[in-house]
Amino acid sequence: MKTCPFFGVCGGCKFDFAAADYHDQKMALLRDLPITGDAVWTPAGLRRRADFAFADGRFGFYAPHSKDIVPVRTCPNLVPEINNILPAVAALPWTASGACLITSCDNGIDIAISSNVPYFTAEFRDAAMKIPAIRITWNDRTIRQTGAPQVNFSGRAVAYPPAAFLQPTVASADALRNMVVAAASGAHHVADLFCGLGNFTFALNADGFDIVGTGVKRDLFTHPLTVGMLRAYDCVVMDPPRAGALAQCKELVKSTTSRVIYVSCNPQTFMRDARVLTAGGYKIQQLIPVDQFVGSDHWELFAVFEK
C-alpha cells in the first residue's frame, strides 16, 4: 500500500501514514523542540480505539474540515478486531447524532455511544443486542453487556470504564512504559500523577493520583501534590491530558524531588511546563518523540528532567 485509500476523503488523518515521506512530514512539526534522540515510530494498523460520528442515519468519519460524514466500513489504521465488527455497527439504525467510540479491549470490543439525545429507539436496542461486543452503552445507559471489559498493564487486569482514556495502541503504550521504567531506575519512591488506568503505576510500584482510574482520587489541576507531599518522592511521573500540568510544575520547582519524567500529548503545553521546570532548577536530560497517534498531527513526548 503506497497510500491510504481514504486519505483526503475522510478527516481521520492529517498525514497519509502510508506515504514514503510520512516520517519527514510529521517530524517537521517538531522542528523547534530540543529533541535528544530518534523518534519512536508505531506501525500503522495497530490502533485499538477509534471515534466515529453518526447523524441522520449516517455513520463513519467526518470529512476534512466538515461535518459531512464519510461512510467507513474498514480502516487500514485499525486493528482487525474493530474492522471485523465495523460493518455491523455501521448498519445499526442510527438516529439523532453523536459519537461512537469503539475500543478493542483485551477480552472483547467495547462500544461507548455519546449523544445529546438521552434515549435510543427500541429498534436500535434490538439491533445492538446482536452486535458481538462485550458492552454497548448509550450515554450512561447500558444497552448490552456480556462481561466486564478489561485491559492489562504489567500483568494486572484492570476494568475498563466506558469511554475511558487508553493509549491508542498496545505497542506505543508498551514503548512509553519501557522508557518510563528505565528512566525511573534507581528511584526509591515514585508518584505517578495523572495515572489513569495504570499504564505506568503497576510497573513502577508507584503511588497513583488521578480523578479517575487506579490511584488516589485527586484533581491535580486544582489540587496538585504540595511541596510537603512531594517530600516523600524522589521521582515523579506525569502523563497529563492536553492541558498539561502547570499547577503541578509550580509545586515541583519548590520541592526536593530530584527527577521528573514527563509524558505529554501536547508539545505546546509541554514546552510551557518545561520552561517552568527549567527556570526552577531542573535540566532536561531526554526528549524523545513517540508517534503513537499514527496519521494525525499529534505527537506524544517522553522527557526526563533532573536537578
Side-chain angles (χ1 to χ4, degrees), residues 2-4 6-8 10-31 41 44 77 291 293-299:
K2 295 183 178 181
T3 187
C4 174
F6 292 106
F7 183 69
C10 90
C13 289
K14 175 70 173 181
F15 301 106
D16 184 354
F17 55 80
D21 61 347
Y22 168 61
H23 289 188
D24 293 336
Q25 289 187 59
K26 190 152 186 181
M27 281 299 297
L29 298 174
L30 302 179
R31 61 170 60 96
W41 298 98
N77 207 12
D291 182 27
F293 305 97
V294 178
S296 77
D297 56 359
H298 297 304
W299 275 100

Side-chain angles (χ1 to χ4, degrees), residues 184-198:
S185 177
H188 299 291
H189 200 184
V190 180
D192 185 9
L193 310 185
F194 309 95
C195 65
L197 299 180

Side-chain angles (χ1 to χ4, degrees), residues 27 30 35 37-41 287-291 299-302:
M27 281 299 297
L30 302 179
I35 304 299
D38 293 338
V40 177
W41 298 98
L287 180 56
I288 306 294
V290 180
D291 182 27
W299 275 100
E300 194 85 3
L301 299 176
F302 164 83

Side-chain angles (χ1 to χ4, degrees), residues 14-220:
K14 175 70 173 181
F15 301 106
D16 184 354
F17 55 80
D21 61 347
Y22 168 61
H23 289 188
D24 293 336
Q25 289 187 59
K26 190 152 186 181
M27 281 299 297
L29 298 174
L30 302 179
R31 61 170 60 96
D32 297 327
L33 269 65
I35 304 299
T36 64
D38 293 338
V40 177
W41 298 98
T42 304
L46 299 181
R47 192 174 179 96
R48 61 178 167 179
R49 57 196 277 117
D51 210 351
F52 296 89
F54 63 92
D56 301 324
R58 296 170 295 153
F59 180 95
F61 287 132
Y62 285 123
H65 313 296
S66 171
K67 288 297 183 181
D68 292 337
I69 294 177
V70 177
V72 174
R73 302 299 177 260
T74 185
C75 171
N77 207 12
L78 299 179
V79 293
E81 290 82 359
I82 296 181
N83 279 326
N84 290 342
I85 203 172
L86 194 51
V89 175
L92 289 171
W94 293 98
T95 58
S97 62
C100 176
L101 176 64
I102 304 180
T103 303
S104 178
C105 296
D106 290 344
N107 59 340
I109 293 290
D110 182 67
I111 299 175
I113 302 163
S114 57
S115 174
N116 58 359
V117 175
Y119 55 84
F120 46 85
T121 66
E123 181 187 13
F124 186 92
R125 178 201 61 212
D126 293 343
M129 291 296 291
K130 300 174 183 178
I131 299 292
I134 195 169
R135 182 178 61 197
I136 303 175
T137 56
W138 182 292
N139 293 334
D140 58 351
R141 299 178 63 185
T142 300
I143 300 176
R144 166 188 168 89
Q145 184 160 5
T146 60
Q150 294 181 339
V151 290
N152 279 271
F153 302 107
S154 302
R156 182 80 65 93
V158 177
Y160 176 73
F165 173 76
L166 191 64
Q167 302 288 2
T169 75
V170 173
S172 57
D174 290 348
L176 287 166
R177 187 186 317 111
N178 290 339
M179 290 194 295
V180 167
V181 169
S185 177
H188 299 291
H189 200 184
V190 180
D192 185 9
L193 310 185
F194 309 95
C195 65
L197 299 180
N199 187 37
F200 309 129
T201 317
F202 304 116
L204 294 168
N205 193 27
D207 293 340
F209 298 86
D210 207 343
I211 299 175
V212 296
T214 62
V216 175
K217 302 299 183 287
R218 187 178 182 91
D219 186 342
L220 296 166

